[in-house]
Amino acid sequence: MIVELISVGTEILLGNIVNTNAAYLSEKCAVLGLSQFHQSAVGDNPKRLEDAIILALSRADILILSGGLGPTKDDLTKETAAKVMNKNLVQDIHTKERIQEYLQKVIPNHMVTENNWKQAMVPEGAIIIDNLNGTAPGIIMEDNGKRIILLPGPPNELIPMFQEDIVPYLNKLQPELIYSKMVKICGLGESYVETQIMDLIEEQTNPTVAPYAKTGEVHLRITAKARNEEDAMKLVAPVVTELKKRFQDAVFTTEERVTLEEAVVELLKERELTVTTVESCTGGLLAGKIINVAGVSDCYKEGYITYSNEAKKRLVNVSESTLAVAGAVSEECAKEMAIGGAQSANADVCIAITGIAGPDGGTQEKPVGLVYEACYYKGNVEVNKFLFKGNRDKIREQAVVKALTLLRKNIIENK
C-alpha cells in the first residue's frame, strides 16, 4: 500500500519549527512496509490544502496529515479533509466530554470557551481516536478504498497516538504482518558497511536489509513479511546472525531503542568499571551523553572540562612543557589528559578529547576539525587522531560519537 504525508502549518514553511513529525512518520511507515513516494508541507490555507489532499489521494491509498486540528480559525485541516471526502461535521459527545475533562484537569477553574468545542466536531462516520495528551482527537476517514488519517501537530500528542492507535490500524490493512529488527554498528563507515552487505542487498526479497547512516554510526534494518510474528522472526533471525558474524564487535546492539551511550554504560557496569571524562573542545557534551543514561551513577563519578591550558594543568596535570612544545591540540596532550583524568578521579577508564571545533583557531598545521582523543584503560593509553568536516556543532558531535566508540573498543579489547 502507498502512503503519503502532508504536514500542515505556515510555521513549518517559514522555518519557525523543525518538521520532526514528517521524519518520525516516514520512518514508522517504512517499518510497517508502506511505500512512500511523496510528502509535502502546506500552509494554513484551505484552498492550497484542499488541492494537496486531492493530489495525494490520486496517487496514494493512505494519506496522513499532521497539524491544523487546534481550536482557532486558522486550524482547518479537519474541515478541509472532510470537504474532500464529502463528510459533514457533527458533534461527538464523547470527545466533548474528554475536552472538558482534560482542560479542567490541566488548568483548574479553566473557563471552556466556545471555540474549544470546535475540536469536538468530527466528520460523520469517522473513526475517532482519543487524545490522551491533549484536546484534539485523531480522526480516520474511509471512503472507496482511500483512507485519510488526521493527527494533532504537537509531537508529544502525535507520537503516542500513532504508536498506540494508528499502528494497529495500519497493520490490519496489510495482508501480511511486518516485523523488523535493527542492527546498530559503530566505528565503521557507511560505504564500507554497504560494500560488506552488497550481496545481501542484491539477493534480498524477504527479508530485506536497508542501511541508515547516522553520525558515526550505521544502522541496518532487517524487515520481513509473514502471516504472523513468529514466522517473521524466523525469517529475520538468520540475517541478524550473519550481520553479527560479518561485523562482530562493531555491532553494539540489536535493539532499536538502545543508543551507543547506553550500550557503553552497560558494558562499564558489566565489567564493574569506573569512568571519567576530560573534555576540551566538546565542553561537556560527552559527559552529558553518558550522564543521560539511567543508572550511570554506578560507574560515572566525576568529569572535567579543561577548555583552557590553565585548566588542563590544574585539573588533570598536563605538563607545561607538553603545552609549550606540542600544544593543547596534540597526541601528547590528549594522552596526558587521559592519564591525569584517571588519576584525579581514581577511575579505571578515562576518555579525553582535545581539538579545534572552529570556526576560528585553525592553522595550516592544525586545521579546524583536527581532534585528538585518548582512552586510558588500567595503565594503557590509546590515542586516535581525526580530521572532522562540518561546522562547529557537527565537529563536536562527531568527536563525541568517536569518543564513545573508542571507549567501547578499549573495554571490549581488555576483557
Side-chain angles (χ1 to χ4, degrees):
M1 301 186 79
I2 299 173
V3 66
E4 186 160 334
L5 307 180
I6 298 179
S7 303
V8 183
T10 302
E11 67 275 14
I12 296 173
L13 294 178
L14 295 176
N16 297 137
I17 64 170
V18 177
N19 190 3
T20 57
N21 286 340
Y24 170 82
L25 292 171
S26 293
E27 181 181 2
K28 296 306 176 184
C29 287
V31 171
L32 290 168
L34 299 170
S35 300
Q36 183 183 178
F37 306 118
H38 303 88
Q39 63 175 253
S40 59
V42 182
D44 299 306
N45 180 284
K47 181 61 172 70
R48 286 192 284 273
L49 179 56
E50 181 180 348
D51 291 343
I53 293 173
I54 292 171
L55 177 61
L57 286 175
S58 72
R59 58 197 182 192
D61 306 298
I62 302 166
L63 178 56
I64 302 177
L65 293 94
S66 60
L69 299 182
T72 60
K73 287 186 177 181
D74 62 341
D75 291 306
L76 295 170
T77 298
K78 174 178 57 187
E79 290 79 1
T80 306
K83 177 184 176 183
V84 173
M85 295 288 273
N86 294 313
K87 305 283 187 182
N88 294 320
L89 294 179
V90 296
Q91 187 177 77
D92 183 63
I93 300 302
H94 171 73
T95 299
K96 183 176 180 180
E97 290 173 351
R98 285 192 58 84
I99 291 171
Q100 185 163 13
E101 179 184 344
Y102 180 87
L103 290 175
Q104 290 177 348
K105 181 180 179 181
V106 175
I107 314 173
N109 302 317
H110 173 75
M111 178 69 70
V112 180
T113 57
E114 193 61 33
N115 62 351
N116 285 124
W117 304 133
K118 177 176 181 288
Q119 293 179 300
M121 300 297 291
V122 302
E124 194 169 15
I127 299 170
I128 308 304
I129 308 298
D130 287 344
N131 186 345
L132 302 182
N133 301 283
T135 56
I139 294 170
I140 301 174
M141 289 182 282
E142 302 174 326
D143 187 52
N144 293 323
K146 301 288 185 176
R147 293 167 174 85
I148 295 181
I149 300 172
L150 309 181
L151 299 173
N156 66 332
E157 298 178 30
L158 178 146
I159 291 173
M161 184 183 291
F162 187 85
Q163 193 62 43
E164 297 299 322
D165 298 290
I166 305 304
V167 167
Y169 171 80
L170 293 174
N171 267 329
K172 290 179 182 178
L173 302 180
Q174 299 279 61
E176 295 177 298
L177 179 141
I178 305 296
Y179 173 82
S180 66
K181 192 77 171 177
M182 185 74 85
V183 174
K184 296 185 179 182
I185 296 168
C186 65
L188 301 176
E190 180 186 11
S191 298
Y192 175 81
V193 171
E194 185 179 56
T195 300
Q196 296 303 306
I197 62 170
M198 190 57 68
D199 59 317
L200 299 178
I201 293 175
E202 291 177 346
E203 296 171 7
Q204 66 185 5
T205 52
N206 186 30
T208 59
V209 182
Y212 301 88
K214 292 190 66 178
T215 300
E217 301 176 25
V218 180
H219 297 179
L220 303 175
R221 184 182 294 282
I222 305 93
T223 303
K225 297 180 180 180
R227 294 173 299 175
N228 53 60
E229 187 174 56
E230 183 180 357
D231 288 347
M233 291 174 68
K234 288 179 180 178
L235 291 170
V236 167
V239 180
V240 173
T241 300
E242 178 62 23
L243 292 172
K244 291 171 74 174
K245 178 181 176 182
R246 295 188 186 192
F247 298 111
Q248 300 184 34
D249 287 342
V251 176
F252 66 87
T253 186
T254 56
E255 299 298 326
E256 182 158 6
R257 294 187 178 182
V258 174
T259 63
L260 177 56
E261 54 268 26
E262 287 173 335
V264 169
V265 169
E266 187 59 34
L267 270 177
L268 289 163
K269 292 165 70 174
E270 285 177 5
R271 307 286 171 83
E272 298 183 343
L273 297 168
T274 56
V275 65
T276 190
T277 54
V278 183
E279 301 177 68
S280 183
C281 63
T282 47
L285 282 182
L286 175 60
K289 279 279 189 183
I290 295 173
I291 292 171
N292 275 341
V293 180
V296 73
S297 56
D298 292 340
C299 53
Y300 190 91
K301 308 303 180 186
E302 60 187 278
Y304 307 94
I305 299 176
T306 59
Y307 202 70
S308 67
N309 286 358
E310 178 58 33
K312 292 178 177 65
K313 291 186 290 183
R314 177 168 49 85
L315 296 175
V316 292
N317 299 314
V318 175
S319 70
E320 182 74 54
S321 61
T322 294
L323 293 169
V325 177
V329 181
S330 65
E331 178 179 347
E332 295 85 350
C333 183
K335 183 175 181 179
E336 289 187 21
M337 288 167 66
I339 295 171
Q343 292 174 343
S344 296
N346 192 27
D348 300 311
V349 190
C350 178
I351 190 80
I353 305 174
T354 182
I356 305 170
D360 303 317
T363 65
Q364 188 171 355
E365 294 76 19
K366 295 184 178 182
V368 169
L370 176 65
V371 174
Y372 289 92
E373 299 183 348
C375 184
Y376 170 95
Y377 187 100
K378 293 186 174 181
N380 297 315
V381 183
E382 178 181 352
V383 183
N384 286 347
K385 175 184 177 181
F386 302 100
L387 187 57
F388 299 123
K389 302 296 182 183
N391 61 21
R392 183 179 179 83
D393 289 343
K394 191 67 176 178
I395 289 169
R396 296 170 75 225
E397 180 187 359
Q398 292 174 87
V400 167
V401 176
K402 289 297 185 183
L404 288 167
T405 303
L406 177 60
L407 175 55
R408 179 176 177 273
K409 172 178 178 287
N410 275 265
I411 298 169
I412 291 173
E413 292 180 351
N414 292 279
K415 295 180 180 180

